[in-house]
Structures are given as structure tokens and as C-alpha cells.
Amino acid sequence: MNLALLSSEIAIVVLAVLLICFDLFMPHRETRRSLGIVAACGVLAVLVHSFTQYGTVGTVYGDYFVVDHLALFFKQVFLTATLLTILFSFGYVEKFTQNKGEFYALLLFALLGMMIMASAHDLLTVFIGLEIMAVVFYVLVGFDLENIKSSEAGIKYLILGSASSAVLLYGISWIYGFTGSLLFKEVAANMAATPAILMGLGLIVAGFCFKLSIVPFHMWAPDVYEGAPTPITALLAMGSKAAAFAVLLRVFLVAFAGLKLYWAPVLSVLAALSMIVGIVVAIWQSGIKRMLAYSSVAQAGYILSGLLAANAAGVKGMLFYIVLYMVATVGAFAVVVAVEEHSGSDAIAAFSGLAQKSPLLALVMTISLISMAGIPPLAGFAGKLYLFIAIAAQGYLWLVVIGFVMSMISVYYYILVVKAMYTHPVQDDRVLTVNGPLKLVAMVSLLATLFIGIYPEPLAELANAAARALW
Amino acid sequence: MIGLAHFLAVAAIVFALGLYGVLTKRTIVGMLMGIELMLNAVNLNLVAFSRFITPEILTGQVFAIFTITVAAAEVAVGLALFFRVYRDRNTVHVARLNTMRW
């Protein structure tokens, strides 16, 4: 057994446990920012280390845990997302009245769950990774004890999340019973389109669609996104969604590849519904977090559509889109955190006149939102292009048309925010102060969105290499 | 003779009861109990499959132990959040959890 393959996960666990110990022995009056800095440095070190793992492909614990280019690609996405989240949450964490140190440790445990999901090569490991991530997120969503919305969001997420996990598990138990194995490859080898297996498949689709907030399983997303502490909302949108996609790729393109005839029509309809419902409902939202929640429902629909191509081009499009969605989301949420700290509200009205108070934040928000809408020359355009080309080649032209029309409509509500920032009058004359790490995250997001949009080849190459690991 | 089909039938009934509970109960504790029923149905399924389909490999039984552990963690977090909600608003009725809606 090659433990070196597990080094990233082991490092994250050690780091998280160390943070809890530091937090215990630290005097109460100290701020916990030092813990955040330790966490950020540790995650950065693991991220750098993960680049040295390219080229080593192998499995640990029998075939249950695999490290290949696809897993590494996703782990780097999660590590980057968590790193940026830690950096822009320093100011937010100061507002909590207790358990500030645990916040960072819990973030790392959520990261661990995502990393296990990226490497999972059987349904049991998928379940364990998923639950590590989910249980930590239940805690984190309800973390803000001063905010009545936070506990409400937490309990809603917990009940709906556990119920969906139970549905997913019931599906897994049927697949296990009728294929005799949990390993993806053996499941694929013993696959037959019997009613029992199709029922298991249906339950698994429902369970995953919940985690991905695909319509009609998206009901939890707006409430949880609104009530959760904003950095957690960001990590839910970026990390938990990407992790569910990491699992989805292996489950549907390896284990259930033989049943594509059955799952492809269902998923194509669900993807189309997500795009339509997410974007149409987002138009009516007055809170930015709720608006971004519905927009994330639509984005999940776009990413899901890449799965229908079921080839390397489609997977490459998905991976590419996941990265640029992460980059745009982190920028948008960093700005939301700054504005929320300043005005105490997440209403779109709170963004009035932001361009005069802080031109940088307004610019970052604008670029992020326009990238999500998919306007050239930003990253979102390149991402949608790759996805649409891949699925159009497989005969899903109708889905491309829906996706294109919907992304045009989405420009409308993204522009509403931009309009508020640039044309509405400033509401008060207090100075908006932005701390250094948050500014850094905003700059990184801005530059990355522009860079990927203008010069997408390097990322496309990485995504391509990762996608080929599946076949 | 009690065979695999009997276990699967019982598990299906328990799962359906649990799902019904989650969907219809109006208190948080009732919903958590429904979720527990669903997870127990899964355990029943896993152990029965393990015994009848792959008797020499214990994958299903190991899986059941993991499920039990995860269910315990979920309920622990659930009860903590439940206390928090109760302290915030003096009620555990789901209908009162309506601060946020679109």
C-alpha cells in the first residue's frame, strides 16, 4: 500500500486537529486570525505539494481509493476554493461570538470530505466522503449563533440533506444487492437493465440531484444559501457542488456507463429544467445571496449537461466550467462579504453606489457576474462554448438552444446588480474599508477570470488530461 | 422458509414509513425519527443482501456499520441544531421556520 498517495488527505487531517488543539490552548482574548493564517498556509502547502503528485497514478486500500489526474484536478479545485474562502472570511469570523477557532478546523474537515469524494472508487467511499462533507456543512451552515436565520438554515439543510442521503443509500443498497459489488468497475461488469437496478439508479440520481441542487431537488438551496454565514455559502456553491460532480462523473461514466440509454434522457430534462427555473426565479430575488443561489442552480444545470456527451470532450467542458465558476463565485462572494460587513445587509439595494465607495470591489463583482452570464471575452464564455460544442456533437441541440437563450436572459438580472453599483446614488458616506486578504482574493478572482477568458488553453489542457483519466 | 424477498419487503415498508414520516411530520424530532427509519431500512437491505448474495464477502455488513455511525453523527448534529432553533424561537414546529421564503 502506497501511503504517499494519501499524503494530501493525511496532511489536511493533521492540520485540522492541530488547529483545534491550538484553539483550546490559546487565551480567550486573542483573536483567532492567527489560526486562519495557519490554516491558509497549510492548505497552500498541500496545494503546492499536490502538483508533485501528477504522474503518479495508483490505488490505495485495494481499489477503493484512486489517485489519478481526475482526482488530482478536483482536489486542486477544492484546495484552491477552501484557501480563498479562508482568506476572505477573516473579517467575517471576527463577528462570531464563540468558537471562532473551530470555524477554520471545520472548513478543513469539509475539505477532507470533498477530497475523499474526488478519489472515491466505490460506492462506500463515495458515501463516507459525502457524509464527512455534509455533516460538517450542517454544522457550518448553523454556525452563526447570533443570527436566527443561520440555525433555521442549518436545520433545514440537515433534515433535507439526511433524507436525501438516505434515499441515495437505499439506491446504493439495491445496486449492491443486484450487482454483488460496490466497486465501480465490478458494478459496470455486472450491470444489466433489470427493474431492481433501474430503481436503484433512479434513487441514486435523486440523491445526487439533491446535492447538486438540480431542479426539482433544489428547494433547500435558496434558504440555506441565504441563512448560512456568507463564506460558507461560497464554499457550498463552489466546493460541495464540484465534489458532487466529481463523484457523478465516476458513477455515471464508469459504473453506470452501460445504462446511458436510461439516465441520459432523465438528466437532460433535469439539466434543462435547472437552467430555466434557476434563471427565471433569480430575476425576482431582492437579496444577492438568494439571487446567487438560484443562479447556482442554473449553473449546475449547465455543468450537468456536459455529462450527457459521455465522452472526453464533455467531461473536459464540465471540468473547465467548474473551475471558472469557482473563480467567478469566489470573487462575487468576497464582494458580498465586504458589503455585508459594511452595511449589515445582503440586499441588492445595499450595493447602490459601490463603484464610488470602492471601484475595485465593484469591478470584481461586475466581471464575476458577467463571466457567469457567459459574455465574451470572459472565462464564462469559453466554458459555455466548450460545453455546448461537446453536447451539440452528440445530438443535444435542443439543450444547447435552451442553454443559450437562458444565458441571454440571465444577463438581465446580473446587469441589475451592476446598474445598482454604478448608477444608483450612494446611501451613506461611511468609508468602506476592505482588509488585505479579501482584496487579494478579489484581485485573484478578477485576474483569473480575465486570464482564462482570453487565454483558455492551459486550463483546457489540464482539464483534457484529467478527463482522459476516466477512459 | 424466510428468504431474501421477505427482508427486502420489510425494508421497503420501513423505508416507505420513514419517508412518509419525513414528508408529513410537522416537528423537527418527528422528521429526524423518519430519517432514522429510512437509514435502518437501508441497513436491513445491506445486511440481507450481504447474507444472501455475497455470503463469503462481508461488504454489506461493513457498509451497515458505517451507515449506523453516520446516522449517529447526523442525529447528534441534528439535536444540537434543534436545541438552537428551540432557544431562538421557543418552538419546534416546522411551520414556524419561515424567516426565509421567496
Side-chain angles (χ1 to χ4, degrees):
Chain A
M1 194 168 85
N2 186 0
L3 270 183
L5 291 173
L6 281 169
S7 52
S8 305
E9 284 78 9
I10 294 172
I12 294 294
V13 175
V14 171
L15 188 61
V17 174
L18 276 182
L19 282 180
I20 292 178
C21 296
F22 287 160
D23 184 43
L24 278 178
F25 294 116
M26 217 177 202
H28 274 294
R29 56 181 186 284
E30 293 278 334
T31 70
R32 265 26 184 189
R33 179 173 287 210
S34 53
L35 292 179
I37 293 169
V38 171
C41 292
V43 172
L44 183 64
V46 176
L47 180 62
V48 171
H49 163 73
S50 70
F51 279 98
T52 65
Q53 287 187 313
Y54 271 109
T56 53
V57 175
T59 58
V60 197
Y61 299 126
D63 264 344
Y64 285 76
F65 190 95
V66 64
V67 178
D68 56 11
H69 283 199
L70 185 70
L72 276 176
F73 184 90
F74 270 108
K75 279 179 200 177
Q76 286 169 347
V77 170
F78 305 146
L79 285 162
T80 316
T82 313
L83 175 64
L84 296 176
T85 306
I86 292 173
L87 285 179
F88 77 73
S89 58
F90 286 151
Y92 204 94
V93 173
E94 295 303 317
K95 283 198 319 173
F96 294 146
T97 47
Q98 26 183 324
N99 314 328
K100 290 176 197 168
E102 285 168 23
F103 182 83
Y104 298 113
L106 284 170
L107 276 181
L108 294 185
F109 282 123
L111 170 64
L112 173 73
M114 295 175 203
M115 290 169 74
I116 292 176
M117 284 167 82
S119 277
H121 209 228
D122 75 303
L123 292 166
L124 177 56
T125 316
V126 165
F127 168 67
I128 293 167
L130 187 73
E131 287 303 317
I132 293 177
M133 181 187 80
V135 172
V136 174
F137 268 125
Y138 303 149
V139 179
L140 282 172
V141 167
F143 203 81
D144 191 353
L145 297 180
E146 299 305 302
N147 186 352
I148 192 167
K149 279 184 185 174
S150 182
S151 58
E152 176 179 331
I155 198 84
K156 279 181 180 169
Y157 190 33
L158 179 117
I159 287 176
L160 293 172
S162 318
S164 82
S165 296
V167 170
L168 178 72
L169 267 179
Y170 196 58
I172 290 177
S173 75
W174 281 91
I175 297 297
Y176 164 65
F178 284 84
T179 60
S181 177
L182 290 166
L183 281 167
F184 291 160
K185 286 201 176 112
E186 288 179 27
V187 168
N190 300 324
M191 191 53 74
T194 59
I197 286 184
L198 289 179
M199 189 186 83
L201 176 63
L203 292 167
I204 288 178
V205 168
F208 276 127
C209 284
F210 175 88
K211 300 287 173 205
L212 293 167
S213 66
I214 293 286
V215 176
F217 306 99
H218 68 293
M219 301 308 186
W220 60 277
D223 282 2
V224 171
Y225 278 39
E226 185 187 347
T230 310
I232 300 308
T233 311
L235 196 59
L236 266 178
M238 303 183 286
S240 121
K241 204 159 274 185
F245 273 116
V247 171
L248 206 67
L249 283 178
R250 288 194 204 271
V251 170
F252 283 88
L253 297 181
V254 179
F256 294 122
L259 296 179
K260 179 168 185 271
L261 195 61
Y262 296 92
W263 55 255
V266 176
L267 290 187
S268 65
V269 171
L270 293 182
L273 274 178
S274 298
M275 295 176 194
I276 296 171
V277 172
I279 283 171
V280 171
V281 182
I283 293 175
W284 312 107
Q285 304 305 320
S286 59
I288 188 98
K289 280 162 88 180
R290 259 184 122 70
M291 191 268 271
L292 287 172
Y294 278 108
S295 134
S296 89
V297 170
Q299 305 291 351
Y302 282 106
I303 303 174
L304 184 65
S305 66
L307 190 68
L308 301 168
N311 56 19
V315 176
K316 172 189 153 199
M318 290 172 79
L319 298 179
F320 191 88
Y321 203 99
I322 286 170
V323 172
L324 67 92
Y325 174 63
M326 178 199 80
V327 169
T329 308
V330 82
F333 275 103
V335 178
V336 174
V337 165
V339 171
E340 214 181 347
E341 265 172 49
H342 174 67
S343 65
S345 154
D346 71 335
I348 293 177
F351 286 76
S352 299
L354 186 66
Q356 289 166 42
K357 281 186 176 173
S358 171
L360 171 70
L361 290 187
L363 181 65
V364 171
M365 191 72 174
T366 309
I367 295 289
S368 295
L369 292 180
I370 291 182
S371 172
M372 284 187 207
I375 292 177
L378 299 171
F381 174 73
K384 287 208 168 86
L385 198 66
Y386 283 134
L387 272 179
F388 287 170
I389 290 174
I391 56 175
Q394 298 293 315
Y396 286 98
L397 207 57
W398 60 275
L399 196 57
V400 174
V401 172
I402 291 181
F404 184 73
V405 171
M406 281 301 142
S407 73
M408 288 302 106
I409 296 175
S410 73
V411 174
Y412 168 74
Y413 62 78
Y414 290 132
I415 292 295
L416 279 185
V417 180
V418 176
K419 182 168 155 252
M421 290 190 299
Y422 281 93
T423 63
H424 289 187
V426 187
Q427 281 173 328
D428 55 53
D429 47 6
R430 285 182 297 139
V431 180
L432 197 163
T433 51
V434 185
N435 63 24
L438 199 150
K439 211 177 266 175
L440 176 73
V441 172
M443 289 296 295
V444 167
S445 155
L446 178 70
L447 294 177
T449 306
L450 289 172
F451 179 78
I452 297 173
I454 295 165
Y455 187 52
E457 279 82 9
L459 180 60
E461 274 307 305
L462 264 180
N464 212 0
R468 275 199 299 264
L470 270 178
W471 283 278
Chain B
M1 180 62 193
I2 293 181
L4 178 60
H6 296 88
F7 287 98
L8 296 186
V10 172
I13 293 168
V14 173
F15 186 82
L17 283 175
L19 191 60
Y20 178 78
V22 174
L23 296 177
T24 59
K25 283 287 169 199
R26 297 271 65 105
T27 67
I28 294 167
V29 176
M31 292 172 123
L32 286 175
M33 287 165 72
I35 290 164
E36 285 303 296
L37 277 185
M38 290 164 81
L39 290 172
N40 282 333
V42 171
N43 289 339
L44 212 52
N45 245 7
L46 286 170
V47 174
F49 279 131
S50 181
R51 172 75 181 75
F52 285 95
I53 306 279
T54 56
E56 68 285 358
I57 315 167
L58 296 179
T59 322
Q61 309 210 13
V62 174
F63 202 139
I65 292 174
F66 276 107
T67 314
I68 294 167
T69 318
V70 165
E74 269 174 357
V75 168
V77 173
L79 287 179
L81 281 167
F82 163 78
F83 276 118
R84 192 66 223 170
V85 168
Y86 183 71
R87 213 176 294 169
D88 279 349
R89 38 192 112 197
N90 268 322
T91 177
V92 292
H93 279 270
V94 183
R96 301 281 178 76
L97 292 176
N98 56 2
T99 321
M100 295 174 286
R101 55 174 43 170
W102 68 293

